[in-house]
Amino acid sequence: MADKAGPDKDGYFGEYGGQYVPETLMAPLAELTRAYDKARKRRAFQRELQTLLADYAGRPTPLYHAKRLSAELGGAQIYLKREDLLHTGAHKLNNALGQALLARGMGKARVIAETGAGQHGVATATAAALLGLECTVYMGEEDMRRQRPNVHRMRLLGAEVAAVDSGSRTLKDAINEALRDWVTHVRHTHYILGSVLGPEPYPRMVRDFHLVIGQEATRQLKRLTGRRWPDLAIACVGGGSNALGLFSAFSARPEVRLIGVEAGGTGTGLGQHAARFQGGRLGVLHGTRTYVLQDDEGQIATTHSVSAGLDYPAIGPELALLHDLGRVEYTTASDAEAVAAFHTLARGEGILPALESAHALAEAFRRAPNLAPDRLILVNLSGRGDKDLESVREYDLATATAAEAEEE
Amino acid sequence: MNRIDEAFARCASEKRAAFVAFIMAGDPDLTTTLVLIEALLEGGADVIELGVPFSDPIADGPVNQRSAVRALTSGTRLAGVLDLVARARRRWQVPIVLFSYFNPILAQGVGEFAARAAASGVDGVLCLDLPPEEAVPEFVDALAAEQLAPIFLLAPTSTKSRIRRVDELAQGFVYYVSRTGVTGDRAELAPELIRETKALRRRLHHPLAVGFGISTPDQVAAVGAVADGVVVGSALVRLIEEHGGAAAGPLATAVRELSEPLRQKKKGWFRR
Ligand SMILES: Cc1ncc(COP(=O)(O)O)c(C=O)c1O
């Protein structure tokens, strides 16, 4: 992880990564790579970003000991890294601010983004408003329906939200459309990709902008517990940005078990989930070589998750390598388990988590009872659940109706 | 000399640019595609570019996207496309270039794909999301082993060093993307296109075909005056969308009208 695990100079993490894009984007990617590598070493850039993260976005975010729930579960102590308290309500702003500064530095007057849950779209629209950049966000129609509040937020922030009606009308299709926009307007537009996906340099750049999550958490853990390292670190994995932001802090600490939670959806059949390590194979999607959910003939599969932010058929290349190395263990939480965890945290601690983050919580709640009370579980609470109130209500209503029908 | 080189050499001897026709294999179904290839030939196409439908065509505009959806819905996959080429090859000697995204090829296995494609009678392969950096060594070597031509794209954003690299690696011809953007017809050509094409053609040792957005006889005439080949895609795919199984007649007529300026404007043809 971080600098040590790569990528190599061609953008590969082991056999994953690369730059699988049309020729038109190759020179712009080289320009972006140069700009990023220059900016990240420049003190002025880092200082401006730090200042914004602190004074504008609200970093550091708290580390919170969920005492009541930990006691109730009767096992390990659960600590929540509160990215839900970051301005705009999710970790996504760390990256959006970093890339928006970079875009301005490169002289690009316009930024575009894709969004699934709407959190990356809101973060990008926010950063664009802050820096005076024109902004268009691509979002699948299905996601616009289920994450409606975020659509309003983006528009209020001055962004154009472009509805995508192709394919499964979710995150994958939004990325397709954002790439088409970028290839067309590449001379004056920067594409703010929202996860550790896509062609080099995106996977490492997006990761780097999120390293602050794990760096803060280890410091805060030390202060709260006297220990710097948890026994377990758990994060949900869509593309993998919140997971790498947390996990990278433990790259030199093999004793910390790292657990990535994928969306188990409604079942194990292709199309029913978004668990790339349960049925995914080596493939190429959206510029990167990685594990991809696909059929036998290389057509990309549709996916399902109650959480729009995890509903995507590929995974970041670095996380694919960490899987093969056995460094990160992967598991899934189903729609039902995620919604249950949402309720548990709401009632048990007074926090409404994003449905994405609820997948990580579900795994923490599963494991905690089997561990001794002096064990520490660190969970990345990547976002807040305001956007999901409607999804949760719909889900609960549907299950209640199904249960009633069963009784009759 | 392979079929692609022969076709461009023949057109050059006739002092004209080649007409390269793109359609999506399997739209509306593979059996019809065979009939449509015949229509393209009847209309005067010199090279056939056959699209392999893919679920997530990031370099394509709406017309080709919808075409891919129809092809996938009719059950078309890479293996079926290769069978179709084999059937076409029994009847015609026209060069056939596959126009694909990388994932279906990777899923089949690059070596396996190259062997099957060659056995079917494919002449060249253009992989839209496989720039030279990723095509070397595995993909290029696999094609070379089967004497298939790797076709690469160049774009208005390509730097001098990229142009040189593509010229070194390419065989058959080089495909210039007429403007930054996705496939699809447009009302007008990019203003710099003619100048850029002339300049690029002087740098290359391979024939240069220009495509993306060329859809009228006038545009074909303008580009054909300065390039070795003109690619028309979405304008033909649109006809298939309109006429479906009955597209053969309109397609032949359209190709005849679109390629006519190439046959007429011999004097304006730009010499190397
Ligand atoms: C709150 C939240 N968590 C997690 C994710 C998943 O993305 P990633 O895996 O990149 O962290 C999203 C994506 O939209 C999100 O909004």
Side-chain angles (χ1 to χ4, degrees):
Chain A
M1 272 166 282
D3 279 353
K4 267 162 274 164
D8 66 17
K9 66 170 178 36
D10 300 321
Y12 275 88
F13 302 87
E15 63 171 311
Y16 306 109
Q19 290 184 315
Y20 294 82
V21 296
E23 172 67 20
T24 309
L25 293 179
M26 289 303 286
L29 281 173
E31 179 198 355
L32 176 61
T33 302
R34 275 193 306 275
Y36 175 59
D37 284 333
K38 216 159 115 194
R40 86 192 156 91
K41 288 180 214 139
R42 268 188 50 221
R43 225 180 267 140
F45 177 86
Q46 291 298 346
R47 205 177 312 120
E48 185 170 13
L49 181 57
Q50 294 319 317
T51 306
L52 283 179
L53 287 174
D55 302 346
Y56 179 74
R59 300 214 73 93
T61 59
L63 182 71
Y64 171 68
H65 182 192
K67 269 203 212 80
R68 234 174 72 88
L69 257 184
S70 303
E72 211 170 282
L73 292 165
Q77 303 307 307
I78 297 175
Y79 284 80
L80 304 177
K81 180 58 176 164
R82 299 291 307 274
E83 292 297 297
D84 61 319
L85 291 178
L86 193 66
H87 178 42
T88 71
H91 69 292
K92 299 286 182 186
L93 189 63
N94 299 323
N95 168 53
L97 279 177
Q99 285 199 48
L101 282 180
L102 198 60
R104 196 192 56 187
M106 289 192 299
K108 309 274 180 183
R110 176 173 180 260
V111 292
I112 57 172
E114 84 295 343
T115 198
Q119 289 301 138
H120 175 59
V122 167
T124 302
T126 299
L130 178 72
L131 299 180
L133 303 169
E134 192 190 328
C135 177
T136 300
V137 179
Y138 289 92
M139 188 170 194
E141 280 182 345
E142 167 62 12
D143 291 339
M144 287 177 73
R145 187 191 63 75
R146 57 180 168 166
Q147 309 278 239
R148 174 117 330 248
N150 277 343
V151 176
H152 292 311
R153 291 168 80 198
M154 286 184 269
R155 289 186 174 143
L156 289 170
L157 289 160
E160 179 202 351
V161 181
V164 178
D165 68 355
S166 55
S168 49
R169 300 163 193 217
T170 54
L171 182 56
K172 163 177 84 77
D173 312 287
I175 297 182
N176 288 341
E177 214 49 48
L179 284 167
R180 291 180 188 125
D181 180 316
W182 197 33
V183 98
T184 307
H185 302 110
V186 68
R187 293 186 207 269
H188 73 290
T189 296
H190 171 62
Y191 178 18
I192 303 191
L193 186 53
S195 192
V196 286
L197 297 165
E200 148 77 9
Y202 283 104
R204 67 181 166 99
M205 176 171 69
V206 177
R207 172 200 66 200
D208 292 352
F209 285 133
H210 285 300
L211 292 178
V212 62
I213 300 171
Q215 288 162 356
E216 282 176 11
T218 51
R219 266 202 314 275
Q220 292 165 320
L221 202 63
K222 177 90 180 356
R223 202 178 67 231
L224 294 181
T225 69
R227 289 178 48 186
R228 233 188 151 99
W229 318 111
D231 297 288
L232 296 178
I234 304 180
C236 66
V237 187
S241 67
N242 89 90
L244 276 184
L246 184 70
F247 294 169
S248 297
F250 311 116
S251 51
R253 292 276 150 187
E255 68 272 27
V256 181
R257 286 178 66 181
L258 307 177
I259 296 157
V261 187
E262 298 185 284
T266 57
T268 53
L270 198 64
Q272 296 178 314
H273 62 84
R276 286 65 47 108
F277 296 118
Q278 306 207 351
R281 279 184 298 121
L282 182 69
V284 165
L285 181 66
H286 294 151
T288 197
R289 182 193 275 254
T290 182
Y291 282 78
V292 180
L293 288 164
Q294 55 185 308
D295 71 13
D296 290 342
E297 293 174 279
Q299 302 296 332
I300 308 305
T302 53
T303 50
H304 165 80
S305 170
V306 69
S307 126
L310 305 184
D311 200 352
Y312 179 71
I315 190 167
E318 184 169 358
L319 284 156
L321 174 63
L322 292 170
H323 167 271
D324 290 5
L325 295 174
R327 181 63 188 101
V328 175
E329 305 162 46
Y330 289 89
T331 177
T332 62
S334 67
D335 285 356
E337 291 167 316
V339 173
F342 176 98
H343 288 300
T344 304
L345 193 72
R347 304 229 178 131
E349 293 286 350
I351 299 170
L352 298 175
L355 279 176
E356 289 77 18
S357 325
H359 286 72
L361 292 167
E363 180 64 14
F365 299 163
R366 257 191 316 236
R367 295 207 181 217
N370 305 321
L371 296 170
D374 63 345
R375 295 292 158 135
L376 304 182
I377 300 182
L378 173 59
V379 181
N380 199 354
L381 185 54
S382 56
R384 71 181 187 216
D386 308 46
K387 68 187 178 62
D388 294 315
L389 303 186
E390 195 51 34
S391 292
V392 171
R393 205 181 64 89
E394 264 177 32
Y395 187 90
D396 289 343
L397 215 62
T399 30
T401 317
E404 259 171 43
E406 195 127 303
E407 264 168 41
E408 277 163 17
Chain B
M1 218 189 213
N2 66 35
R3 282 182 285 253
I4 298 175
D5 295 338
E6 274 169 18
F8 278 97
R10 180 171 47 75
C11 293
S13 75
E14 295 171 14
K15 298 202 183 328
R16 67 175 179 92
F19 189 87
V20 182
F22 168 90
I23 59 173
M24 185 74 71
D27 174 19
D29 58 65
L30 282 170
T31 312
T32 307
T33 302
L34 196 64
V35 179
L36 298 183
I37 291 175
E38 184 164 29
L40 298 176
L41 295 177
E42 224 180 274
D46 300 296
V47 178
I48 306 285
E49 243 181 49
L50 211 47
V52 176
F54 181 54
S55 53
D56 294 85
I58 56 164
D60 282 298
V63 173
N64 283 354
Q65 286 174 44
R66 291 196 298 269
S67 181
V69 169
R70 289 191 298 273
L72 290 170
T73 307
S74 78
T76 306
R77 298 293 185 273
L78 179 55
V81 177
L82 296 182
D83 288 345
L84 168 75
V85 173
R87 279 196 283 161
R89 188 51 76 218
R90 274 182 232 127
R91 298 173 56 184
W92 304 297
Q93 284 306 306
V94 64
I96 298 179
V97 174
L98 293 187
F99 191 85
S100 182
Y101 291 85
F102 188 48
N103 202 56
I105 292 173
L106 182 62
Q108 190 164 79
V110 170
E112 170 91 25
F113 160 76
R116 287 197 199 182
S120 307
V122 168
D123 300 292
V125 183
L126 193 168
C127 218
L128 281 153
D129 53 354
L130 204 65
E133 283 81 348
E134 302 299 350
V136 175
E138 194 189 0
F139 184 75
V140 167
D141 289 351
L143 293 193
E146 302 290 343
Q147 276 137 40
L148 292 170
I151 313 290
F152 288 99
L153 296 172
L154 283 172
T157 51
S158 299
T159 55
K160 286 197 182 118
S161 64
R162 300 193 62 79
I163 293 169
R164 225 174 301 123
R165 183 88 198 277
V166 161
D167 195 35
E168 278 163 23
L169 284 173
Q171 284 178 44
F173 64 98
V174 169
Y175 188 135
Y176 185 56
V177 174
S178 73
R179 61 170 75 208
T180 60
V182 294
T183 59
D185 37 19
R186 301 188 180 67
E188 281 170 23
L189 297 175
E192 331 69 50
L193 178 63
I194 300 301
R195 186 176 46 77
E196 284 174 355
T197 303
K198 279 188 194 168
L200 179 59
R201 190 153 169 263
R202 271 194 291 271
R203 291 177 181 278
L204 298 177
H205 297 89
H206 295 281
L208 178 62
V210 179
F212 276 43
I214 299 173
S215 60
T216 67
D218 284 351
Q219 292 172 342
V220 171
V223 175
V226 294
D228 302 284
V230 182
V231 189
V232 176
S234 296
L236 304 179
V237 173
R238 202 185 274 284
L239 287 174
I240 298 171
E241 178 162 56
E242 273 169 38
H243 299 278
L251 210 54
T253 307
V255 172
R256 197 170 304 117
E257 284 170 12
L258 284 161
S259 61
E260 187 55 29
L262 300 180
R263 282 171 237 285
Q264 301 217 323
K265 281 199 76 182
K266 281 179 194 168
K267 266 211 252 92
W269 198 67
F270 181 80
R271 278 166 192 284
R272 252 172 205 284

